[in-house]
Amino acid sequence: MCGIVGYVGDKEATPILVNALKKLEYRGYDSAGIAVLSDESLVVRKAKGALKFLERLIATEIIRGTMGIGHTRWATHGEPSDVNSHPHTDVAGKIAVVHNGIIENHAKLKEWLSSRGVTFRSQTDTEVIAHLIDFHYDDGDIVKAVIETLKRLEGSYALAVICESEPDRIVAVRKDSPLVVGSG
Ligand code: GLU
């Protein structure tokens, strides 16, 4: 289990994401994290342990931005740690992903990506998704890049994906994991 959340709108995303993670905290106490598009760059903050450690981490900074994603983790691949916390990003930190589920063919995908020069930071199954999206993000269409990536994933997932160069757009997809979209 894990809890994922995303917000895009005209309000400050950070407090909305943290509040939403409070509601989803029961889904995983191993770590919590957020990625917010702030001044055209992704700001990623994550911390091992319960949500309160993330709250402490960001207590003294103001992360402005009206789009972001968040995660509360129940680890399946990779121990609970700061580095294994979600969101995970591509090498350049321009694409961020949160994931609920298990990517069963992650080892094979990791090998393939490593042979193309990708250096992995975490031990999670999830990180392959961020790198694959980057690999398919050749013509600047994040939806297309996610669709191409999904063709290569085996397992279960609910994903929320944001990309630095596509503000106002969260890509959310699911297979065998729950996901709810609200508009208001
Ligand atoms: N498999 C991912 C991880 O371990 C997500 C965990 C989950 O959904 O429980 O980081």
Side-chain angles (χ1 to χ4, degrees), residues 1-2 73-77 84 86 99-102 124-126:
M1 237 170 31
C2 277
R73 181 171 187 237
W74 185 332
T76 65
H77 293 72
N84 285 338
H86 301 216
H99 169 219
N100 170 214
I102 292 173
T124 63
D125 52 335
T126 302

